[in-house]
């Protein structure tokens, strides 16, 4: 499960039933709280959310792991080959967590939204943009592929409206702050009261953790700038106009109080390769590990590992090398392993099944 390292034990209320319908119901409840400011649903939603991300969500941000019912099974019931994790549910997961952020200002909700965006949701569409996944397993024998269309075509249409809307999730504003929530290269314009704000973000994220943000305002603006520090980020440096600064953190954000128009804010986040263990209650992943770098979950495809695919293991002595490969999968950063066992090549999960058909797995046998 996703949050075993970050979250408390699940509380009493639990998500039930069809994952897509549940995600949209919870989204509506969270948005009502955010719009009214009354937080009538806060306690129930927090309990549901904690149980969901602690016990019922795949590392890719996928929801509704159980096929047939397309929904939530028992706690820690997170299969790999038969995982359902409908693309629509991943998008609903983003909506739900965005609503939770708007009513609380907590970065932990956007951490979950980001995982869903970069992994389960993005995997739902091919790199050529014309084939789609309805179901997003974490392991394949080589027989699971995107299709041009579906009789129930909710997932393609869901992506067609969601992907163009991602710009709406990058920034937010409140009475006292400008919030930088997602790290995506862009130029954005915001009007707050009588003040026009131009934000320019330069970054190669998620391939590296360096972000440069320039903010220009039509008149002085007395607002904090809050930069989300993702939960995968253990160390980072922050500077303004090349001068390193120390700031406080609040609710998962680095809070900058002293800035002026035309300042260049640089955030440099260390982005090492990490070996991730599932919660020990997930029987499917006992004796296995996954590879993650920044917000991206990686997988192993047979096309890159044709000889030893079924024999490859990870161990405490495994080391990693990252390199940008511009000639495959529209340009990706690959991870290669070096260890006692055979070497292996990993690609981002969102990019699998875009080449020759073959086996795939996210969770790799781990030799203690």
């Amino acid at each position: 499960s996703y949050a075993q390292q970050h979250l408390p034990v699940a509380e009493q209320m639990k998500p039930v039933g069809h994952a897509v319908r549940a995600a949209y119901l919870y989204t509506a409840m969270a948005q009502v709280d955010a719009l009214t400011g009354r937080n009538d649903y806060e306690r129930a939603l927090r309990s549901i959310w904690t149980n969901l991300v602690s016990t019922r969500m795949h590392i890719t941000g996928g929801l509704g792991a159980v096929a047939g019912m397309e929904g939530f099974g028992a706690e820690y019931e997170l299969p790999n080959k038969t995982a359902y994790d409908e693309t629509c549910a991943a998008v609903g997961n983003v909506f739900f967590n965005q609503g939770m952020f708007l009513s609380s200002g907590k970065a932990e909700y956007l951490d979950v939204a980001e995982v869903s965006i970069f992994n389960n949701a993005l995997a739902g569409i091919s790199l050529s943009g014309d084939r789609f996944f309805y179901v997003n397993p974490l392991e394949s024998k080589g027989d699971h592929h995107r299709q041009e269309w579906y009789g129930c075509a909710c997932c393609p249409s869901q992506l067609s409206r969601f992907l163009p809307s991602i710009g709406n999730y990058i920034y937010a504003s409140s009475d006292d702050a400008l919030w930088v929530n997602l790290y995506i290269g862009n130029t954005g314009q915001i009007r707050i009261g009588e003040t026009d704000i131009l934000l320019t973000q330069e970054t190669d994220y998620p391939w590296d953790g360096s972000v440069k943000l320039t903010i220009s305002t039509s008149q002085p603006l007395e607002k904090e700038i809050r930069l989300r520090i993702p939960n995968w980020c253990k160390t980072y440096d922050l500077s303004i106009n090349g001068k390193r600064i120390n700031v406080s953190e609040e609710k998962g954000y680095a809070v900058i109080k002293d800035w002026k128009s035309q300042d260049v804010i640089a955030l440099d986040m260390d982005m090492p390769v990490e070996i991730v263990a599932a919660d020990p209650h997930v029987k499917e992943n006992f004796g296995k590990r996954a590879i993650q770098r920044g917000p991206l979950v990686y997988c192993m495809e047979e096309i890159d590992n044709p000889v030893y695919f079924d024999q490859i293991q990870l161990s405490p002595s495994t080391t990693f090398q990252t390199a940008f490969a511009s000639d495959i999968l529209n340009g990706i950063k690959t991870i290669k392993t070096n260890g006692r066992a055979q070497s292996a090549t990993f690609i981002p999960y969102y990019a699998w099944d875009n080449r020759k058909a073959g086996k795939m797995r996210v969770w790799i046998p781990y030799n203690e």
Side-chain angles (χ1 to χ4, degrees), residues 25-42:
L25 172 63
Y26 304 149
T27 296
M29 294 165 67
Q31 290 180 345
V32 167
D33 272 357
L35 289 169
T36 64
R38 291 171 52 181
N39 292 334
D40 292 332
Y41 301 115
E42 180 180 14

Side-chain angles (χ1 to χ4, degrees), residues 73-328:
E75 290 180 349
Y76 307 106
E77 187 178 355
L78 294 167
N80 293 322
K81 287 181 182 178
T82 62
Y84 202 77
D85 290 357
E86 185 179 340
T87 299
C88 282
V91 175
N93 201 15
V94 177
F95 294 157
F96 174 33
N97 281 279
Q98 170 73 357
M100 293 292 283
F101 157 74
L102 290 174
S103 63
S104 69
K106 294 181 179 180
E108 62 186 341
Y109 298 118
L110 294 172
D111 291 337
V112 176
E114 180 180 65
V115 167
S116 297
I117 291 172
F118 278 107
N119 298 287
N120 197 151
L122 196 55
I125 186 170
S126 66
L127 297 179
S128 56
D130 58 357
R131 302 184 74 86
F132 305 90
F133 275 150
Y134 198 109
V135 178
N136 294 271
L138 281 76
E139 185 173 341
S140 171
K141 295 180 180 179
D143 54 357
H144 184 79
H145 308 292
R146 294 179 183 84
Q147 298 181 28
E148 292 183 356
W149 203 246
Y150 294 89
C152 178
C154 54
C155 294
S157 56
Q158 180 77 277
L159 286 169
S160 71
R161 70 164 180 166
F162 173 65
L163 292 177
S165 76
I166 285 179
N168 296 326
Y169 303 101
I170 299 175
Y171 304 109
S173 65
S174 62
D175 292 340
D176 58 354
L178 282 171
W179 307 70
V180 183
N181 293 328
L182 295 178
Y183 298 114
I184 299 173
N186 72 89
T187 298
Q189 291 181 313
I190 302 174
R191 185 172 181 83
I192 300 177
E194 300 299 320
T195 304
D196 293 314
I197 305 167
L198 180 67
L199 303 102
T200 302
Q201 190 178 147
E202 301 171 75
T203 182
D204 287 327
Y205 193 93
W207 306 128
D208 66 56
S210 296
V211 180
K212 185 182 294 184
L213 183 70
T214 304
I215 304 180
S216 304
T217 62
S218 59
Q219 56 187 354
L221 186 66
E222 295 184 1
K223 282 184 179 289
E224 301 170 347
I225 295 175
R226 298 195 167 210
L227 302 173
R228 182 176 66 90
I229 306 301
N231 61 9
W232 57 260
C233 177
K234 306 301 188 294
T235 59
Y236 66 92
D237 290 323
L238 195 57
S239 64
I240 296 181
N241 301 327
K243 183 178 180 180
R244 186 174 177 179
I245 61 172
N246 295 315
V247 297
S248 61
E249 286 190 30
E250 183 179 335
K251 297 182 178 180
Y253 286 85
V255 182
I256 300 175
K257 297 182 179 181
D258 186 12
W259 66 278
K260 62 183 183 300
S261 181
Q262 299 299 322
D263 277 350
V264 178
I265 300 170
L267 173 64
D268 290 299
M269 298 173 282
D270 288 340
M271 192 181 280
V273 177
E274 294 187 337
I275 297 179
V276 181
D279 188 291
H281 292 89
V282 183
K283 297 179 180 179
E284 181 87 4
N285 293 328
F286 183 77
K288 299 176 184 178
R289 297 291 187 271
I291 299 298
Q292 187 168 342
R293 183 176 183 271
L296 293 177
V297 174
Y298 276 69
C299 70
M300 193 172 66
E301 272 199 301
E302 189 175 13
I303 187 174
D304 300 310
N305 308 275
V307 178
Y308 299 111
F309 184 88
D310 293 320
Q311 287 77 47
I312 290 171
Q313 297 182 347
L314 301 173
S315 75
S317 64
T318 301
T319 58
F320 303 94
Q321 294 178 332
T322 61
F324 191 79
S326 60
D327 57 337
I328 63 170

